[in-house]
Amino acid sequence: MKVSFYVLTENKAQDFLGFICQLTQTALNKSSQSLLILIEKDDALLSTLDEALWAQDDTSFIPHQRLLDSNLESADIDGVHTDINNQLLAPVLLASYMPADFKGIVLNTTIRPVNNFINATSNTLPTRILELIKPDTVSTEAGRAKYKHYQQLGYELTHFKV
């Protein structure tokens, strides 16, 4: 599995939501897979990101769906995300958990590795992980720990300074 670390400069970190929107749009443009933006349980951040994705710029938006804990039983059928009633979900999902059998790209904004969010009974892993590292001590230390974790699992690691 490929894991890309994006080490943010102070300027990019100040526009954290803008960078998430930009990276999300880039990932959608380069892939037909769904993308999950993984966020710690923080309703304020989820709401702010939800608004930012709808108003990404003056002429466009990024279609997405916010998953609540009540949506925990989502499934993946042939790479297209559906809920338990087989209703299509948006190509971008916002959640503080990993939906069951999620097979797309994960943009991780948390301080924990994505593997910590994968259900032990799940048979699938994401196809790619995008890790965001802010220029503060907590995020940098967590980034180093995640890098070692993924390295021990044998994942293909790259990093970019942005």
Side-chain angles (χ1 to χ4, degrees), residues 79-135:
V80 177
H81 285 281
T82 60
D83 66 13
I84 56 177
N85 299 316
N86 279 341
Q87 295 173 328
L88 290 177
L89 299 177
V92 176
L93 307 173
L94 303 177
S96 58
Y97 65 91
M98 182 78 81
D101 297 327
F102 179 78
K103 296 179 187 174
I105 301 166
V106 176
L107 195 163
N108 188 14
T109 68
T110 75
I111 61 170
R112 297 180 285 158
V114 169
N115 301 67
N116 287 8
F117 293 91
I118 297 172
N119 186 323
T121 61
S122 178
N123 295 327
T124 61
L125 293 173
T127 58
R128 182 153 190 207
I129 299 172
L130 310 175
E131 289 282 355
L132 300 184
I133 311 299
K134 293 180 185 177

Side-chain angles (χ1 to χ4, degrees), residues 55-99:
Q56 197 237 345
D57 64 40
D58 292 340
T59 60
S60 71
F61 64 94
I62 298 173
H64 64 281
Q65 180 172 353
R66 193 171 158 177
L67 298 182
L68 305 174
D69 288 340
S70 62
N71 300 105
L72 280 172
E73 295 185 34
S74 64
D76 191 48
I77 300 170
D78 295 331
V80 177
H81 285 281
T82 60
D83 66 13
I84 56 177
N85 299 316
N86 279 341
Q87 295 173 328
L88 290 177
L89 299 177
V92 176
L93 307 173
L94 303 177
S96 58
Y97 65 91
M98 182 78 81

